[in-house]
Structures are given as C-alpha cells and as structure tokens.
Amino acid sequence: MAVTTCLTKMQEKKLQSCFGGKRFTLLYKASVHDFSGYNVYKRCNNQGPTVMVIYSGHDIFGAYIKDSYQEYGDRVPIVLFAFQKNEISECKIGAYSPSTFLCLYKEDNCSEFLLNLDGKKVTMKLDTIEKLQLKVQVSNERHQKHQKDQIISVKECEVFRCEDLLDKRNMEEITQLHKSLLFDIKSYRPYRDLVRQIRILLLGPTGAGKSSFFNSVKSVFRGYVTHQALVGSDAAGVSDKYRVYSIKDAGYNNSLPFILCDSMGLGEEDKGPCMDDIVYILKGHISDRYQFNSMKPITPGHSNYIENPLLKDRIHCAVFVFNINSVEHLSYEMMAKIKKIRRELIKCGIIHVVLLTHVDSLDLITKGDFIDIYRCTLVKCKLEMVHRELGFALSDILVVSNYTSEWELEPVKDLLILSALRQMLWAADDFLEDLPPEKTEKRK
C-alpha cells in the first residue's frame, strides 16, 4: 500500500514554493515507519535536502534541512517553519547535527529545536515558538509560561526529500524542445507564400503586457533580455503610437517571418484608440508610428494613411492580451468594447486568440509548472472564466510569463513564449488559407 502525506495539495504546493520550487518525495512517515529518531536517520540520511513536517493537533510546523547529512555528527543548516492561515512563517536557527535535533543520544537543552520521536514530543524555545506564531497545546510535562523551553506533543511526522523541480533530465528535454520551437519559427513560411511576414496585432487594456510580450519575443530570438518597446505602470499607458516591429534573427541578421504590431491600450468609454482606427489597422490602412487620437480617427490624406493597402499590410492574426490576475475584473464597458472589436475581426475574417500574461505571479505557480502549465488547476480556472465571460474557445487561450524584471533568459519561460507565438502563426495561416482567390492576386 502506497504511503501518502497528510498535507493537502494546497499545503504541499505552498511548502514547495516557500523553499524555492521543489519536488517532494515522501521518505518517512512515523505512523508507518515507527516513531523513531533512528528510523528517520536511517531512511533520510544521504538523501540531499529534506523537509520534516510535524503535526500537533491543529498546528503544522517543521524544519527544512538545507543540506544532506551522512554521519550523526554532520552539522546542517536548519530553517524552522509553520503554516499560518495564508502564509508560512520561517525562523532560521543555525546548523545542528542529526544526533542533536533527532535526539539520537540525549537531549541537548541548548538546542532551539529537538525532535524526540520515541517520546512523541518536540522541545522548542519559547521565543522560537513566538517567532513562528505557533498556537500549540503544550504538554503537561512543562507548561509554565515562565519556562524557556516548551514541550509540544507530536501526533504525526513526515520527512520528504527535496529536489529541484527542473532536474537535469527536465532541463535536457526543455533544451531540446526550445531548439525545436526556435527552428520551427525561424523556418516558418506563411501559407502559399502569400506574404513574406505575418502581421500579428496586439490588443488589450493598458498594462496588460502587450509591449512586454514584444520585448519578450525579441529577447528570446536575440539571446538576451531587451527592452525596445517602452513599458510602464502609468494608468494612462505608455504606448500611444501604433508600432510595427520586425525582429531579426541574432545568428544571421535576417528578418523573422512575422511582425508584431503594438497598439495603444484599450480604455473605457472614450479612452484608448477609436474603433475606426482599429478597423483601419485591420485592413492595413495605417503605417508605423501613427499617433493615436482618442477623439478623432485617421482620415485619408494623413501622412500615416495607406490608400491602397496590399495583403502584406493587413493584419493576419489578432491577439487580445490580458493580465491573468485581473482578467476577471474587466468592467462592463471594457468587455463591451472587446466584443465589439471581435465583431469587426469576424467581419474581416481575422482569426483571433487570447494571451494571458503574468502566469508566474499566480499564487503557488512555480517554474516547474511551466512545463505543463495548461494542466495546472489555477490556470484551468482562469481559462474557463475567459471562455465563459468572453466566449473564446479554450484552445484559443494562451498563457505566458513575460520578461519584465529579469536580467537573464530562462529556457522554461522561453517555451511558453515560443509556443504562444507558434499558435499565432498557425492562426494566421488559417486566415490566409480562407481568403477568396480574388484577394490573393495582388498579394506582394
């Protein structure tokens, strides 16, 4: 019979996140392997970093042992922790040997943490208990408040081996997939070569991450983090111009087969770009660096107005960009505007998808989850909400984590960005394939 933990899925996830994104393997459970300090040592030594979880009534606390130990006397750094309502409190207590904190010889009254499993008790300093904000039931053995040491009864104890979520095998698979995605996108050719480069329009509320997505895509192909498009947190937004960004392959300095078009952030009521301007962009009438005017759309004769746009000037795929943390809080006015834009996209026959940014900021999501992000329960809930409220198919909703504050690229982040970009290119192919023949004659 398999041995299972008493931790809930949410508690396990919180603990994994607390210590830097770890994967847990249960090594010891007192009710199965006996309440014995020696059994803990025998099953858990030479296993790398471990987490010890202690259950005492309604309290759950324990110790994160940061290094592997082999001998009784090996001193290893320990961090104590305790589950609170919405967080985990921590307290560093220095380095101790297993012979000390497991009471393998005799209790050391100088230690801040002593686990005597044979006696089903933990001895802790009173000030340590207060730092951890524990509300434990103290045993009758020594319960006076004036005592510096307090004895806590133990109902259950579990020990887990901690491993990095992204181990060597995972990283090899990620590296291989990363290379494959880069190759696929670099060698991509639009349907029937109707255009040289696919135009992808980024739409969405101010601060959703449109410009950051462009910066992230460029960073992946350049091999280092770049910030060409201005990004900010101003409520009025930073992008007030229509920008058309072509990206070059760092290795060969060739333009990649797509163009990202960044627009002014959508706003409520009269804020943001005019609806007429959006339609003009979709049809290819507006050129790079057009200055948006919320009160007045572009008119023929304007220096940025393209009188007779070709297929290459048109938008081939549109992307609605939302912050995954705030997408459920879109106002009625914003949702109405998005639905109106969708109607225009449908009239033009343009395939459109959703891009949810900041997935890494969701509670309890770790980099290890990025490998199979669409299976995460929290992400699934967000996707279903967008499907329910805005009507997008679940398969048309993508998630990414943009580069916003990082200095170095992370391959697992790149996978989300590249996978989303590949879906956009496929959507653009669907648009091109569906065009009537008369619209593809003057295509270049």
Side-chain angles (χ1 to χ4, degrees):
M1 184 175 176
V3 182
T4 57
T5 178
C6 295
L7 292 172
T8 65
K9 286 289 184 184
M10 191 65 75
Q11 288 170 334
E12 187 173 354
K13 201 79 170 173
K14 278 192 174 183
L15 204 53
Q16 289 170 335
S17 298
C18 181
F19 297 117
K22 302 292 183 181
R23 179 172 62 244
F24 288 171
T25 302
L26 187 59
L27 299 173
Y28 167 87
K29 189 179 180 80
S31 58
V32 175
H33 304 115
D34 295 331
F35 282 81
S36 163
Y38 175 73
N39 283 358
V40 171
Y41 172 78
K42 185 170 66 173
R43 297 185 68 88
C44 303
N45 76 322
N46 205 27
Q47 291 287 341
T50 51
V51 165
M52 185 179 294
V53 181
I54 298 163
Y55 304 84
S56 176
H58 296 295
D59 291 290
I60 303 175
F61 60 100
Y64 174 46
I65 301 162
K66 300 174 72 174
D67 293 332
S68 184
Y69 54 86
Q70 295 182 358
E71 304 295 335
Y72 285 172
D74 291 346
R75 292 171 63 85
V76 287
I78 296 177
V79 178
L80 300 182
F81 64 85
F83 280 93
Q84 305 302 324
K85 187 174 182 180
N86 296 314
E87 60 182 19
I88 293 178
S89 56
E90 296 181 36
C91 176
K92 294 181 180 180
I93 61 169
Y96 292 91
S97 65
S99 62
T100 299
F101 66 78
L102 291 176
C103 301
L104 296 180
Y105 296 141
K106 63 178 183 178
E107 291 193 17
D108 180 358
N109 292 330
C110 296
S111 178
E112 292 183 65
F113 172 76
L114 297 171
L115 174 60
N116 184 341
L117 279 171
D118 300 80
K120 295 185 178 180
K121 64 182 181 179
V122 172
T123 304
M124 294 175 69
K125 300 290 185 184
L126 183 58
D127 60 346
T128 304
I129 291 175
E130 290 172 350
K131 287 177 185 176
L132 292 173
Q133 303 173 52
L134 287 174
K135 297 181 177 66
V136 295
Q137 289 292 324
V138 179
S139 75
N140 292 327
E141 197 171 331
R142 249 189 253 169
H143 63 276
Q144 293 88 352
K145 284 289 183 182
H146 68 270
Q147 290 285 351
K148 289 184 178 180
D149 294 343
Q150 297 290 328
I151 296 177
I152 305 165
S153 61
V154 176
K155 304 294 184 184
E156 180 66 278
C157 177
E158 297 171 343
V159 183
F160 302 84
R161 179 172 62 242
C162 299
E163 300 170 288
D164 289 336
L165 282 166
L166 300 177
D167 57 21
K168 184 178 180 181
R169 182 179 175 184
N170 289 141
M171 287 307 301
E172 288 174 354
E173 292 174 356
I174 289 168
T175 300
Q176 188 61 38
L177 182 55
H178 188 279
K179 289 179 180 178
S180 176
L181 284 168
L182 278 175
F183 176 80
D184 287 350
I185 293 173
K186 288 178 181 180
S187 59
Y188 163 82
R189 295 177 68 174
Y191 176 75
R192 287 180 49 201
D193 289 328
L194 291 178
V195 293
R196 288 184 60 252
Q197 291 176 294
I198 291 297
R199 289 201 174 214
I200 301 168
L201 175 63
L202 305 177
L203 296 162
T206 298
K210 300 181 297 299
S211 299
S212 292
F213 178 66
F214 159 71
N215 287 335
S216 298
V217 170
K218 183 175 179 179
S219 298
V220 173
F221 285 97
R222 283 298 178 91
Y224 56 88
V225 177
T226 67
H227 300 285
Q228 180 180 349
L230 294 177
V231 176
S233 56
D234 192 323
V238 174
S239 303
D240 59 357
K241 288 184 179 180
Y242 177 59
R243 291 306 319 272
V244 176
Y245 295 112
S246 181
I247 301 172
K248 291 185 180 295
D249 179 6
Y252 301 96
N253 206 33
N254 298 324
S255 293
L256 293 166
F258 61 88
I259 291 172
L260 293 178
C261 305
D262 193 9
S263 63
M264 183 181 186
L266 300 177
E268 297 176 4
E269 299 175 350
D270 296 329
K271 296 178 180 178
C274 297
M275 184 59 64
D276 287 347
D277 275 347
I278 294 175
V279 176
Y280 281 133
I281 289 172
L282 297 179
K283 295 180 177 180
H285 286 287
I286 296 181
S287 64
D288 187 27
R289 299 183 186 274
Y290 166 66
Q291 181 78 47
F292 287 105
N293 183 336
S294 299
M295 306 305 294
K296 183 182 177 183
I298 196 170
T299 55
H302 190 285
S303 60
N304 288 102
Y305 187 84
I306 300 171
E307 190 70 37
N308 297 303
L310 300 175
L311 181 56
K312 69 179 182 64
D313 302 311
R314 295 182 59 181
I315 296 301
H316 311 119
C317 171
V319 181
F320 286 96
V321 184
F322 303 110
N323 185 327
I324 199 169
N325 295 289
S326 56
V327 64
E328 66 262 44
H329 303 303
L330 294 175
S331 67
Y332 173 81
E333 292 82 2
M334 180 62 72
M335 291 180 71
K337 182 171 284 190
I338 290 164
K339 290 176 181 178
K340 188 175 181 180
I341 295 172
R342 286 196 73 191
R343 288 194 291 271
E344 294 295 338
L345 287 165
I346 292 168
K347 284 181 187 177
C348 296
I350 298 173
I351 308 296
H352 44 288
V353 299
V354 169
L355 184 70
L356 300 180
T357 62
H358 298 91
V359 68
D360 54 319
S361 65
L362 281 180
D363 193 24
L364 306 182
I365 292 292
T366 66
K367 289 175 187 173
D369 295 317
F370 286 6
I371 300 171
D372 210 0
I373 195 69
Y374 294 95
R375 291 184 181 273
C376 292
T377 302
L378 289 170
V379 174
K380 279 185 175 180
C381 290
K382 295 288 185 177
L383 268 58
E384 288 166 1
M385 189 281 302
V386 173
H387 166 67
R388 184 175 60 252
E389 298 297 329
L390 294 174
F392 288 89
L394 288 171
S395 57
D396 290 335
I397 307 172
L398 314 170
V399 297
V400 294
S401 171
N402 287 331
Y403 286 108
T404 54
S405 60
E406 297 84 353
W407 293 99
E408 300 289 340
L409 295 179
E410 298 175 11
V412 70
K413 259 192 174 187
D414 292 356
L415 290 188
L416 293 184
I417 294 165
L418 292 170
S419 297
L421 180 59
R422 184 174 62 177
Q423 290 293 127
M424 296 170 196
L425 296 178
W426 287 346
D429 273 348
D430 290 340
F431 164 74
L432 294 174
E433 185 177 1
D434 200 43
L435 285 174
E438 62 271 17
K439 291 193 176 182
T440 63
E441 291 172 358
K442 295 180 180 179
R443 63 194 190 214
K444 298 298 183 182

